[in-house]
Amino acid sequence: MRVRAPLSLLLAQRYTSLPMEQITLFTPGPTHIPTRVFEKISNGGMHHRTAQFQEIYSATQELFSQLVDSPTLPLFLACSGTGGMEAALQNSCSPGDAFLYIDAGKFGERWGKIGEALGLRPIAIKADWGHSPSEDDVLKACKTNQDIKAFCTQHCETSTTVLHPIEKYLPVIRSQCPQAMTIVDAISSLTTTPLSVSKLEIDILIAAAQKALMLPPGLAVLTISKRAWERIENTEVKSLYFDLTKERKPQSQGSSAWTPPLHHILGLHEVLTMIFEEGPHNWTKRHRECSTFAQQELTKLGFRVITRENPSPSVTGGFAPDDIDPDQLRKKLTQLSGFLIAGGQDDWKGKIVRIGHMGIVTPHHLEDLFRSLHECILSTSSP
């Protein structure tokens, strides 16, 4: 009789190029930082105004451009992802300008708040949480708002675990409102699903360190198209730090206008090296497998998966059954096993769990997590 190997062993054998580290952090950001990345970050003997660091800086820009298929080098900013969102809008729009944005979750609505703070006219294209606006919704909004100067969207709406179909939205924007800058927040999708700046003709792509890039919070990355640079060069920006024209020349030379996030860039170089070692195709394929695995396991535990139509490869969420308090379950999970997962936000607080599976996470790691979740549920329901 043939004996089958345990599932965990079969899964582990498929990812031999990855460091098999113990992972306890399964939130959708911050995420687990691999040991070899930590080692690069902890380099305390390098100064940012040296030829040695400038070489690493430029090499990291080249690797990032290659990863996202961008014809231009990215800018590195020492700020959070929200800082990157604000910089993108502030440099491409002037006070009083209108822009469209997708509002289907906590991070989508942030575009509106940023726009209001900058004196812009934000116009929301709304959808219920857990869903994406349709292509027709975007088309209708464009036809009634022909004067917009930008279109902003998340790729992955982290709060709802939905991956928006930007490949459908962006052609509509280009055909109906060709003057509008297309701005995409890829903070929680980048590296987990194929994304080509060139093919999608994204004007400004925004990434951040603490999600699938496996770094501590504090670094935002922007790729900016030639068309967007023309707009930026002719926009009066009432900011010193976020005036991107001040960064363009020095960053093209491996430097920066202000003190750069030196250790983040050292870490990012190592992260990108890891991605190309595994291969970008294999890297994104593994994230899809994690998403499928997480959906299956959540369903087995009685949770209703938030979306099967457009699930994010980076984070999976589910509504808890009536007899389970998701926040108490998360608390107990951490107490008993050390695992950390996320809950819901705003109206979904106390209703869902969200499980991040970005970076070097494999289905093998998720199997350990779900085993512990199952044990917590059993112990809670036991008399």
Side-chain angles (χ1 to χ4, degrees):
M1 178 179 177
R2 183 179 178 184
V3 179
R4 295 185 64 185
L7 176 61
S8 59
L9 178 60
L10 292 173
L11 291 171
Q13 290 173 343
R14 293 182 60 182
Y15 304 107
T16 54
S17 65
L18 291 171
M20 289 308 297
E21 301 182 10
Q22 182 180 5
I23 296 177
T24 57
L25 185 60
F26 290 94
T27 60
T31 56
H32 175 79
I33 302 173
T35 300
R36 61 184 277 190
V37 176
F38 253 127
E39 291 173 351
K40 294 296 181 179
I41 292 173
S42 63
N43 183 342
M46 189 173 294
H47 191 270
H48 61 284
R49 302 302 186 201
T50 62
Q52 180 187 15
F53 179 68
Q54 289 173 352
E55 184 178 346
I56 295 172
Y57 198 109
S58 295
T60 306
Q61 288 178 304
E62 292 285 355
L63 286 172
F64 191 90
S65 292
Q66 184 179 343
L67 178 68
V68 300
D69 187 28
S70 170
T72 60
L73 292 176
L75 297 184
F76 298 142
L77 302 179
C79 62
S80 68
T82 300
M85 294 167 66
E86 182 167 331
L89 260 179
Q90 190 171 25
N91 282 264
S92 55
C93 296
S94 299
D97 286 347
F99 71 94
L100 289 172
Y101 69 101
I102 301 298
D103 181 354
K106 184 72 173 178
F107 295 96
E109 71 178 20
R110 189 167 298 177
W111 287 117
K113 293 180 178 180
I114 293 171
E116 290 173 358
L118 294 175
L120 307 179
R121 291 191 292 123
I123 303 167
I125 306 173
K126 292 193 174 185
D128 291 338
W129 282 34
H131 300 274
S132 297
S134 68
E135 188 177 347
D136 284 342
D137 292 333
V138 176
L139 178 60
K140 290 176 184 176
C142 285
K143 287 184 175 180
T144 55
N145 297 280
Q146 289 285 303
D147 63 336
I148 61 166
K149 293 298 179 67
F151 169 77
C152 304
T153 182
Q154 273 63 40
H155 190 195
C156 167
E157 174 53 68
T158 320
S159 65
T160 66
T161 75
V162 171
L163 191 72
H164 290 322
I166 61 173
E167 69 282 357
K168 295 180 180 179
Y169 299 160
L170 299 185
V172 173
I173 299 299
R174 287 196 299 274
S175 66
Q176 298 296 318
C177 302
Q179 77 285 353
M181 295 293 104
T182 54
I183 304 174
V184 176
D185 162 6
I187 291 170
S188 62
S189 67
L190 187 70
T191 82
T192 71
T193 189
L195 182 62
S196 169
V197 167
S198 295
K199 290 179 181 177
L200 293 173
E201 298 183 47
I202 297 171
D203 285 308
I204 303 179
L205 179 78
I206 306 163
Q210 76 277 11
K211 296 187 183 287
L213 291 178
M214 306 183 293
L215 294 166
L219 167 69
V221 186
L222 274 64
T223 67
I224 301 173
S225 70
K226 292 181 179 179
R227 189 176 85 113
W229 272 121
E230 291 176 4
R231 168 74 65 80
I232 292 169
E233 294 286 355
N234 289 285
T235 299
E236 183 181 355
V237 179
K238 294 184 178 181
S239 172
L240 178 67
Y241 187 80
F242 280 143
D243 183 348
L244 299 182
T245 61
K246 290 180 167 57
E247 292 285 2
R248 189 177 189 183
K249 183 177 179 180
Q251 293 216 21
S252 70
Q253 300 170 343
S255 186
S256 57
W258 320 111
T259 304
L262 183 151
H263 298 283
H264 284 82
I265 294 169
L266 295 177
L268 179 58
H269 185 271
E270 189 67 15
V271 167
L272 295 171
T273 299
M274 292 175 68
I275 292 172
F276 283 104
E277 284 176 356
E278 185 178 357
H281 173 76
N282 292 331
W283 193 274
T284 56
K285 179 182 178 183
R286 174 169 50 79
H287 282 83
R288 289 196 302 273
E289 291 171 349
C290 284
S291 174
T292 300
F293 186 87
Q295 291 178 60
Q296 292 172 348
E297 295 302 308
L298 268 181
T299 302
K300 289 178 184 178
L301 295 178
F303 285 74
R304 176 169 60 86
V305 172
I306 293 172
T307 177
R308 294 189 185 276
E309 182 181 358
N310 292 312
S312 168
S314 60
V315 55
T316 299
F319 287 94
D322 292 339
D323 59 344
I324 293 178
D325 182 326
D327 288 344
Q328 289 300 315
L329 176 62
R330 293 191 302 113
K331 183 178 179 180
K332 187 170 186 178
L333 176 70
T334 302
Q335 290 173 342
L336 296 181
S337 66
F339 289 124
L340 284 166
I341 60 175
Q345 296 173 289
D346 288 357
D347 289 345
W348 281 9
K349 187 174 178 60
K351 297 179 181 179
I352 68 168
V353 297
R354 291 179 298 146
I355 297 170
H357 33 76
M358 310 178 212
I360 61 169
V361 175
T362 70
H364 172 60
H365 295 112
L366 291 174
E367 189 182 36
D368 292 339
L369 168 66
F370 279 103
R371 184 184 300 111
S372 294
L373 268 173
H374 181 61
E375 292 170 355
C376 284
I377 292 172
L378 286 178
S379 65
T380 301
S381 60
S382 298

